[in-house]
Amino acid sequence: MEPLRLGLRYAAEAAPERSGAGAAGSLWIEGPLAPGVQGLGPFSVALALDAADDSASLDCIVTNRASATVQLEAVVLGFRWAAAGGDLRFLRHGWQSWSFSAGRALDDAGEPGFPSGPWLRGMHHALGAPPADRAGWHESDLVSVASGSRGACLAGLLECGVATGVVYLRRHGDDLLVEVEARFEAPLEPGARLELERVLVALGDDPSRLLETFADELGARAGARTGSPFQAGWCSWYQFFGQVSEADLLRNLETLGKARLEFPIDLVQLDDGYQRAIGDWLETNERFPRGLAPLAQDIRSAGFRAGIWLAPFCVVPESRLFEAHPDWLLRGEGGPFRGLVHPDWTRDGWVYALDPSREAVARHLFRLAAALVGMGFSYLKLDFLYVAAMQAVAHDPRVTRAGRLRRGLAAIRDGAGEETFLLGCGCPLGAAVGLVDGMRIGPDVAPNWAVEERARIPGLEPTLPASANAIRNVLTRAWMHRRLWLNDPDCLMVRHTDTKLSSAELTSLAGAIAASGGMVLFSDDVERLGPEEKQLLRDTLTLAREIDDGAPRGTARALGLLDAPAPGGLVGRSESAALAFLLNWEDRPQELSVRLRDALPTAGPLPPRPALGAPAFESDDEGMLRASLAPHGSLLLRVHARIDLAVFCDFDGTFAVQDVGSTLAKRHAGDRRPALWQRLVRGELNAWQYNMELLDGLRLPEAELDAFLRTVELDPGASALVRWCEERNVPFRVLSDGFDRNLDRIQQLTGVRFAYDANRLWYENGAWRIAASAPDATCSCGTGVCKRGRIRAFRSLHPGACIVHVGNGRVSDLCGALAADVAFAKDTLAEALALEGVAYERFATLHDVVAGLERLSARLRR
Ligand code: 9PG
């Protein structure tokens, strides 16, 4: 990659209403893209270049040297990729959640014209109209990667809420020209100094890997929030849409409570349809007679987290907010700016946008989020966020479009607090990193495969609600997961009624979600689901969680990322297996094949197993898999990786210093404990029955448990152990007779992620409830999670693996230690193993275990 040119787009006078690409009066000036300071027109530009072997980052500072304010539209950094090779394709990445993202041919035609005008184009592109001099260039928002016979090349802007990045690409003979436009679109006062976000360019072999590196860097710079536990829940939208009622929600809540052990979800989210008017989010309409607070309380007492949808920047004239604060809106030509058209939301269809560049608006957003959280909602789905960042006139023109979005989101984050899960939706991607916990990465799913005829709008088809559109982006944006946030692939639907989706299409949606390892919210009327539909739901939850489990970064990669019309599939990896998803995009049956070895080089000896009722398939000695797939049908295969070494580790007293369960029991059931302990010693109770007697029904306030969990410390070598395993692809799993909710919380508090098996814990009607998750009646351990059982199950899938168990207790760890090949032990486990005459390695901290594993793996390699 060669640096080529540095350009500036600007206008001599600040005129925000004219801001935008190639507006009349817009000037262009350029110089060489070279490190150091250069004068360009009224500006001085300082460029720092940090080049490594196959990547470079560029930081640019622009100062206005003139005596008048100038309008800086964009800073352009241009590069040449010499002799890029033939057959170039590139990722056309869209601006916001719903925008089209997929590969295209890098032909000479450039970005296709948009048939429905700049305003609608501006809904999905950073720019409503590209600069006139970009004719013939291809365009991509935030980042792009091009790939051909000679490798791949990435360019992007590490957006942090100042500028908006647009990448332009075009062929030039044998070369590829790539230019990153950092769109600033704001005035720069005399002497003012602007530090732009870093531009990253990189060369490599694999486009997915380059995008993962880009996301790693962006996530690190913008402080991405990637540590939330796996999200599993229910959402009202895709079953009830805008007509949802309180009765619908309560009915589903009740069914979900009864089916808690069948469907392991902990979130119930109310979507659009409850509010009095768009803008008045704290007031409900006649279908929600009791208002929001009692509903949040009902959801929480039933043992679920309460989630709610809102479009915090949207306002309609029917709202009290519009009436009270007409001055809070972004402005357009001759009136308030029209953010979008939505006939279900308002009489005349026009929806207006709040202007977060105003202090008062930021305060309002803060109070709104705080009020919802105060009612008991701990999950906010923030929708239609792009309206705040459209090309419109703001009260304070110095706040850029990305800055408006970021200010608004920051106010919501401050009001909601650190513990609330914020989901971005319809959201420009770059500027939201670091503020949201989850992000919708594609168009809406729908109970139909393709876009409905009546909903078509020329140019918008690939972004409109349709399951095929949603799946496309799940595949092309898989690299963002747990690098920028948790990916939300949008809802799973499993019903066969109230839908036009065929069985094959439903399963394809489920398979794409599962292999992506993203969030799983489902949207069906639960009591109407039949046994097969429930099975599909359960399996999808299990598989997606397995892919997401423990990995600090997303693992899923598209198969043929840049292929048209979309990637052929997706491979997600867990610590010991992979899920390969292969989709027939065609409207007719088709035979498809995939070479598994390319997708997963370390497949183990066991044959792949179909998941989610995948169709029959054939495989040959070369590792080629073939299947006949129905129209829009798919193949989902579970492939077990080849494993030489695996580590299972106890939690209480081993991975963590404290014993969570027994400390709680001591403190809060101290009076009952001695008698129960005697019964346990006498063999009248087994370990799980002891837990049930002690903890099930315990009336300890949630906040008190949380306060205790904050005091839990991990062993000093805990994160080193996890890292050691991660770096060597050694599966690591905590096996605990403790509880899922506590382990999730401790992971969040400590920032150390790990996969685990543990019992279920939830808070229902003011008391804690527990359920065993993997007991084994044939084992003498009597625990809720029999460690011998877990280890045997693993061994059956990975014959030949050397299995290590690490533990400290004689009750729950003994059967695990005996089932493993190598035992690390301390405390009563060490005593028990010594008594049995079983060899073990003694350890004091997990640092000792790391050292022991180092020796063990050296022996295994010999
Ligand atoms: C509620 C819905 C759901 C959904 C959101 C969002 O382009 N469009 O016309 C378009 C319409 C609706 C829409 C997205 C795009 O849905 O994604 O999950 O919350 O709002 O109104």
Side-chain angles (χ1 to χ4, degrees), residues 769-812:
R769 303 301 314 274
I770 63 175
S773 80
D776 181 348
T778 71
C779 184
S780 58
C781 70
T783 61
V785 174
C786 170
K787 299 185 182 182
R788 183 184 78 175
R790 304 318 302 152
I791 288 176
R792 285 186 177 171
F794 184 88
R795 207 188 279 288
S796 74
L797 297 174
H798 304 281
C802 173
I803 297 182
V804 170
H805 181 275
V806 188
N808 78 320
R810 109 193 123 73
V811 177
S812 82

Tab-separated table of all heavy atoms in Angstrom, residues 769-812:
chain	number	residue	atom	x	y	z
A	769	ARG	N	-34.472	-19.036	43.876
A	769	ARG	CA	-34.871	-20.395	43.487
A	769	ARG	C	-33.694	-21.028	42.771
A	769	ARG	O	-32.958	-20.349	42.061
A	769	ARG	CB	-36.090	-20.356	42.547
A	769	ARG	CG	-37.301	-19.643	43.101
A	769	ARG	CD	-37.817	-20.269	44.402
A	769	ARG	NE	-37.904	-21.716	44.348
A	769	ARG	CZ	-38.965	-22.388	43.874
A	769	ARG	NH1	-40.024	-21.743	43.440
A	769	ARG	NH2	-38.962	-23.704	43.858
A	770	ILE	N	-33.540	-22.327	42.947
A	770	ILE	CA	-32.426	-23.014	42.289
A	770	ILE	C	-32.905	-24.298	41.615
A	770	ILE	O	-33.945	-24.849	41.979
A	770	ILE	CB	-31.282	-23.356	43.288
A	770	ILE	CG1	-31.764	-24.322	44.373
A	770	ILE	CG2	-30.728	-22.100	43.923
A	770	ILE	CD1	-30.634	-24.783	45.313
A	771	ALA	N	-32.173	-24.740	40.609
A	771	ALA	CA	-32.467	-26.018	39.951
A	771	ALA	C	-31.147	-26.650	39.518
A	771	ALA	O	-30.244	-25.951	39.052
A	771	ALA	CB	-33.376	-25.797	38.741
A	772	ALA	N	-31.072	-27.969	39.706
A	772	ALA	CA	-29.864	-28.695	39.304
A	772	ALA	C	-29.798	-28.737	37.791
A	772	ALA	O	-30.819	-28.842	37.121
A	772	ALA	CB	-29.896	-30.113	39.859
A	773	SER	N	-28.593	-28.639	37.219
A	773	SER	CA	-28.567	-28.628	35.758
A	773	SER	C	-28.004	-29.911	35.157
A	773	SER	O	-28.350	-30.259	34.040
A	773	SER	CB	-27.822	-27.398	35.244
A	773	SER	OG	-26.451	-27.608	35.320
A	774	ALA	N	-27.142	-30.624	35.849
A	774	ALA	CA	-26.617	-31.863	35.267
A	774	ALA	C	-26.294	-32.889	36.356
A	774	ALA	O	-25.147	-33.300	36.516
A	774	ALA	CB	-25.371	-31.554	34.427
A	775	PRO	N	-27.323	-33.315	37.110
A	775	PRO	CA	-27.069	-34.308	38.151
A	775	PRO	C	-26.879	-35.690	37.529
A	775	PRO	O	-27.259	-35.910	36.388
A	775	PRO	CB	-28.362	-34.276	38.976
A	775	PRO	CG	-29.421	-33.819	38.024
A	775	PRO	CD	-28.756	-32.968	36.988
A	776	ASP	N	-26.261	-36.586	38.270
A	776	ASP	CA	-26.106	-37.960	37.798
A	776	ASP	C	-26.431	-38.895	38.958
A	776	ASP	O	-25.649	-39.024	39.909
A	776	ASP	CB	-24.663	-38.181	37.317
A	776	ASP	CG	-24.460	-39.607	36.799
A	776	ASP	OD1	-25.359	-40.456	37.030
A	776	ASP	OD2	-23.418	-39.859	36.192
A	777	ALA	N	-27.604	-39.523	38.870
A	777	ALA	CA	-28.090	-40.352	39.977
A	777	ALA	C	-27.169	-41.536	40.239
A	777	ALA	O	-27.148	-42.088	41.340
A	777	ALA	CB	-29.502	-40.834	39.666
A	778	THR	N	-26.362	-41.918	39.248
A	778	THR	CA	-25.515	-43.098	39.429
A	778	THR	C	-24.187	-42.758	40.094
A	778	THR	O	-23.392	-43.648	40.368
A	778	THR	CB	-25.223	-43.773	38.076
A	778	THR	OG1	-24.329	-42.913	37.336
A	778	THR	CG2	-26.485	-43.997	37.276
A	779	CYS	N	-23.925	-41.468	40.332
A	779	CYS	CA	-22.625	-41.081	40.888
A	779	CYS	C	-22.789	-40.760	42.375
A	779	CYS	O	-23.796	-40.175	42.782
A	779	CYS	CB	-22.069	-39.870	40.157
A	779	CYS	SG	-20.410	-39.407	40.723
A	780	SER	N	-21.803	-41.088	43.146
A	780	SER	CA	-21.907	-40.883	44.585
A	780	SER	C	-21.732	-39.413	44.975
A	780	SER	O	-21.935	-39.057	46.126
A	780	SER	CB	-20.871	-41.735	45.309
A	780	SER	OG	-19.584	-41.377	44.832
A	781	CYS	N	-21.368	-38.535	44.030
A	781	CYS	CA	-21.140	-37.128	44.400
A	781	CYS	C	-22.433	-36.456	44.853
A	781	CYS	O	-22.420	-35.596	45.721
A	781	CYS	CB	-20.503	-36.347	43.249
A	781	CYS	SG	-21.597	-36.055	41.838
A	782	GLY	N	-23.551	-36.840	44.258
A	782	GLY	CA	-24.837	-36.282	44.654
A	782	GLY	C	-24.994	-34.803	44.388
A	782	GLY	O	-25.866	-34.137	44.950
A	783	THR	N	-24.189	-34.244	43.502
A	783	THR	CA	-24.253	-32.800	43.256
A	783	THR	C	-25.227	-32.487	42.118
A	783	THR	O	-25.726	-33.396	41.444
A	783	THR	CB	-22.866	-32.263	42.861
A	783	THR	OG1	-22.452	-32.919	41.663
A	783	THR	CG2	-21.845	-32.517	43.965
A	784	GLY	N	-25.472	-31.188	41.895
A	784	GLY	CA	-26.352	-30.758	40.807
A	784	GLY	C	-25.649	-30.775	39.466
A	784	GLY	O	-26.278	-30.847	38.404
A	785	VAL	N	-24.334	-30.655	39.490
A	785	VAL	CA	-23.535	-30.756	38.268
A	785	VAL	C	-22.484	-31.829	38.540
A	785	VAL	O	-21.480	-31.564	39.197
A	785	VAL	CB	-22.826	-29.418	37.935
A	785	VAL	CG1	-21.883	-29.581	36.739
A	785	VAL	CG2	-23.856	-28.343	37.628
A	786	CYS	N	-22.753	-33.033	38.089
A	786	CYS	CA	-21.808	-34.128	38.344
A	786	CYS	C	-20.597	-33.951	37.429
A	786	CYS	O	-20.714	-34.010	36.207
A	786	CYS	CB	-22.458	-35.474	38.105
A	786	CYS	SG	-21.237	-36.809	38.126
A	787	LYS	N	-19.441	-33.739	38.037
A	787	LYS	CA	-18.257	-33.434	37.237
A	787	LYS	C	-17.779	-34.664	36.474
A	787	LYS	O	-17.271	-34.549	35.357
A	787	LYS	CB	-17.174	-32.836	38.134
A	787	LYS	CG	-17.691	-31.526	38.756
A	787	LYS	CD	-16.685	-30.755	39.579
A	787	LYS	CE	-17.397	-29.520	40.151
A	787	LYS	NZ	-16.514	-28.668	40.937
A	788	ARG	N	-17.959	-35.832	37.069
A	788	ARG	CA	-17.623	-37.055	36.347
A	788	ARG	C	-18.473	-37.148	35.063
A	788	ARG	O	-17.975	-37.452	33.986
A	788	ARG	CB	-17.884	-38.278	37.230
A	788	ARG	CG	-17.479	-39.589	36.579
A	788	ARG	CD	-17.849	-40.766	37.455
A	788	ARG	NE	-19.277	-41.085	37.354
A	788	ARG	CZ	-19.854	-42.125	37.945
A	788	ARG	NH1	-19.143	-42.929	38.730
A	788	ARG	NH2	-21.140	-42.351	37.790
A	789	GLY	N	-19.758	-36.854	35.221
A	789	GLY	CA	-20.668	-36.913	34.076
A	789	GLY	C	-20.243	-35.951	32.971
A	789	GLY	O	-20.254	-36.296	31.786
A	790	ARG	N	-19.862	-34.726	33.355
A	790	ARG	CA	-19.464	-33.733	32.348
A	790	ARG	C	-18.185	-34.192	31.646
A	790	ARG	O	-18.030	-34.052	30.436
A	790	ARG	CB	-19.215	-32.347	32.976
A	790	ARG	CG	-20.348	-31.729	33.785
A	790	ARG	CD	-21.723	-31.873	33.193
A	790	ARG	NE	-21.830	-31.308	31.861
A	790	ARG	CZ	-22.678	-31.715	30.932
A	790	ARG	NH1	-23.500	-32.717	31.163
A	790	ARG	NH2	-22.723	-31.131	29.766
A	791	ILE	N	-17.252	-34.718	32.440
A	791	ILE	CA	-15.970	-35.133	31.846
A	791	ILE	C	-16.161	-36.347	30.935
A	791	ILE	O	-15.609	-36.410	29.841
A	791	ILE	CB	-14.935	-35.394	32.969
A	791	ILE	CG1	-14.526	-34.038	33.566
A	791	ILE	CG2	-13.731	-36.158	32.446
A	791	ILE	CD1	-13.591	-34.113	34.742
A	792	ARG	N	-17.004	-37.278	31.362
A	792	ARG	CA	-17.260	-38.441	30.496
A	792	ARG	C	-17.929	-38.028	29.191
A	792	ARG	O	-17.612	-38.563	28.134
A	792	ARG	CB	-18.137	-39.456	31.229
A	792	ARG	CG	-17.348	-40.218	32.264
A	792	ARG	CD	-18.205	-41.298	32.869
A	792	ARG	NE	-17.419	-42.081	33.809
A	792	ARG	CZ	-17.942	-42.991	34.614
A	792	ARG	NH1	-19.249	-43.245	34.588
A	792	ARG	NH2	-17.172	-43.662	35.435
A	793	ALA	N	-18.863	-37.097	29.281
A	793	ALA	CA	-19.542	-36.642	28.060
A	793	ALA	C	-18.513	-36.020	27.110
A	793	ALA	O	-18.538	-36.257	25.892
A	793	ALA	CB	-20.623	-35.623	28.410
A	794	PHE	N	-17.598	-35.252	27.665
A	794	PHE	CA	-16.565	-34.624	26.831
A	794	PHE	C	-15.668	-35.697	26.212
A	794	PHE	O	-15.350	-35.655	25.026
A	794	PHE	CB	-15.729	-33.661	27.682
A	794	PHE	CG	-14.705	-32.894	26.891
A	794	PHE	CD1	-15.042	-31.690	26.291
A	794	PHE	CD2	-13.415	-33.381	26.725
A	794	PHE	CE1	-14.108	-30.974	25.551
A	794	PHE	CE2	-12.468	-32.684	25.983
A	794	PHE	CZ	-12.818	-31.480	25.398
A	795	ARG	N	-15.297	-36.685	27.028
A	795	ARG	CA	-14.390	-37.726	26.529
A	795	ARG	C	-15.013	-38.524	25.382
A	795	ARG	O	-14.331	-38.900	24.429
A	795	ARG	CB	-14.008	-38.667	27.668
A	795	ARG	CG	-12.657	-39.325	27.464
A	795	ARG	CD	-12.379	-40.382	28.487
A	795	ARG	NE	-11.898	-39.914	29.788
A	795	ARG	CZ	-10.685	-39.422	30.008
A	795	ARG	NH1	-9.844	-39.272	29.023
A	795	ARG	NH2	-10.320	-39.067	31.221
A	796	SER	N	-16.325	-38.739	25.478
A	796	SER	CA	-16.963	-39.521	24.411
A	796	SER	C	-16.897	-38.781	23.075
A	796	SER	O	-16.882	-39.403	22.018
A	796	SER	CB	-18.403	-39.850	24.787
A	796	SER	OG	-19.194	-38.682	24.662
A	797	LEU	N	-16.855	-37.444	23.120
A	797	LEU	CA	-16.769	-36.672	21.876
A	797	LEU	C	-15.322	-36.432	21.463
A	797	LEU	O	-15.046	-36.108	20.310
A	797	LEU	CB	-17.466	-35.319	22.044
A	797	LEU	CG	-18.963	-35.396	22.323
A	797	LEU	CD1	-19.531	-34.021	22.630
A	797	LEU	CD2	-19.698	-36.028	21.144
A	798	HIS	N	-14.411	-36.558	22.413
A	798	HIS	CA	-13.003	-36.295	22.117
A	798	HIS	C	-12.120	-37.415	22.652
A	798	HIS	O	-11.312	-37.207	23.545
A	798	HIS	CB	-12.581	-34.950	22.713
A	798	HIS	CG	-13.431	-33.823	22.246
A	798	HIS	ND1	-13.275	-33.227	21.008
A	798	HIS	CD2	-14.493	-33.209	22.817
A	798	HIS	CE1	-14.193	-32.285	20.861
A	798	HIS	NE2	-14.945	-32.262	21.934
A	799	PRO	N	-12.309	-38.614	22.104
A	799	PRO	CA	-11.500	-39.725	22.581
A	799	PRO	C	-10.036	-39.387	22.334
A	799	PRO	O	-9.710	-38.781	21.320
A	799	PRO	CB	-11.962	-40.904	21.719
A	799	PRO	CG	-12.629	-40.296	20.530
A	799	PRO	CD	-13.161	-38.969	20.954
A	800	GLY	N	-9.177	-39.717	23.253
A	800	GLY	CA	-7.761	-39.439	23.032
A	800	GLY	C	-7.291	-38.143	23.654
A	800	GLY	O	-6.090	-37.906	23.746
A	801	ALA	N	-8.223	-37.273	24.073
A	801	ALA	CA	-7.793	-36.022	24.713
A	801	ALA	C	-7.288	-36.313	26.121
A	801	ALA	O	-7.839	-37.166	26.814
A	801	ALA	CB	-8.963	-35.049	24.778
A	802	CYS	N	-6.254	-35.611	26.536
A	802	CYS	CA	-5.778	-35.695	27.911
A	802	CYS	C	-6.599	-34.700	28.731
A	802	CYS	O	-6.592	-33.504	28.448
A	802	CYS	CB	-4.291	-35.357	27.977
A	802	CYS	SG	-3.697	-35.249	29.672
A	803	ILE	N	-7.322	-35.194	29.722
A	803	ILE	CA	-8.242	-34.324	30.453
A	803	ILE	C	-7.706	-34.011	31.847
A	803	ILE	O	-7.352	-34.909	32.603
A	803	ILE	CB	-9.640	-34.977	30.542
A	803	ILE	CG1	-10.193	-35.125	29.112
A	803	ILE	CG2	-10.569	-34.134	31.416
A	803	ILE	CD1	-11.572	-35.715	29.045
A	804	VAL	N	-7.657	-32.720	32.127
A	804	VAL	CA	-7.134	-32.230	33.393
A	804	VAL	C	-8.291	-31.719	34.244
A	804	VAL	O	-9.192	-31.057	33.731
A	804	VAL	CB	-6.140	-31.076	33.130
A	804	VAL	CG1	-5.752	-30.382	34.426
A	804	VAL	CG2	-4.908	-31.594	32.406
A	805	HIS	N	-8.259	-32.051	35.533
A	805	HIS	CA	-9.238	-31.471	36.454
A	805	HIS	C	-8.498	-30.717	37.550
A	805	HIS	O	-7.510	-31.201	38.090
A	805	HIS	CB	-10.119	-32.568	37.064
A	805	HIS	CG	-11.149	-32.031	37.997
A	805	HIS	ND1	-10.895	-31.768	39.323
A	805	HIS	CD2	-12.442	-31.667	37.783
A	805	HIS	CE1	-11.991	-31.263	39.889
A	805	HIS	NE2	-12.940	-31.203	38.973
A	806	VAL	N	-8.999	-29.539	37.877
A	806	VAL	CA	-8.388	-28.719	38.918
A	806	VAL	C	-9.435	-28.471	39.993
A	806	VAL	O	-10.540	-28.011	39.666
A	806	VAL	CB	-7.932	-27.354	38.343
A	806	VAL	CG1	-7.130	-26.583	39.378
A	806	VAL	CG2	-7.133	-27.537	37.063
A	807	GLY	N	-9.132	-28.780	41.253
A	807	GLY	CA	-10.154	-28.581	42.277
A	807	GLY	C	-9.604	-28.560	43.681
A	807	GLY	O	-8.405	-28.744	43.896
A	808	ASN	N	-10.531	-28.294	44.637
A	808	ASN	CA	-10.090	-28.191	46.037
A	808	ASN	C	-10.985	-28.917	47.022
A	808	ASN	O	-10.656	-29.004	48.196
A	808	ASN	CB	-10.018	-26.719	46.453
A	808	ASN	CG	-11.411	-26.172	46.745
A	808	ASN	OD1	-12.363	-26.494	46.031
A	808	ASN	ND2	-11.550	-25.383	47.793
A	809	GLY	N	-12.170	-29.399	46.564
A	809	GLY	CA	-13.142	-29.890	47.548
A	809	GLY	C	-13.362	-31.389	47.437
A	809	GLY	O	-13.344	-31.947	46.336
A	810	ARG	N	-13.672	-32.001	48.570
A	810	ARG	CA	-13.811	-33.457	48.488
A	810	ARG	C	-15.224	-33.854	48.084
A	810	ARG	O	-15.447	-34.977	47.654
A	810	ARG	CB	-13.339	-34.043	49.817
A	810	ARG	CG	-14.315	-34.621	50.724
A	810	ARG	CD	-13.756	-34.855	52.099
A	810	ARG	NE	-14.569	-34.143	53.064
A	810	ARG	CZ	-15.799	-34.537	53.416
A	810	ARG	NH1	-16.306	-35.628	52.910
A	810	ARG	NH2	-16.495	-33.827	54.270
A	811	VAL	N	-16.191	-32.935	48.207
A	811	VAL	CA	-17.563	-33.324	47.845
A	811	VAL	C	-17.774	-33.297	46.331
A	811	VAL	O	-18.049	-34.308	45.712
A	811	VAL	CB	-18.598	-32.418	48.539
A	811	VAL	CG1	-20.005	-32.784	48.096
A	811	VAL	CG2	-18.448	-32.531	50.052
A	812	SER	N	-17.616	-32.099	45.751
A	812	SER	CA	-18.000	-32.019	44.341
A	812	SER	C	-16.826	-32.289	43.403
A	812	SER	O	-17.027	-32.547	42.220
A	812	SER	CB	-18.609	-30.650	44.031
A	812	SER	OG	-17.581	-29.717	43.824
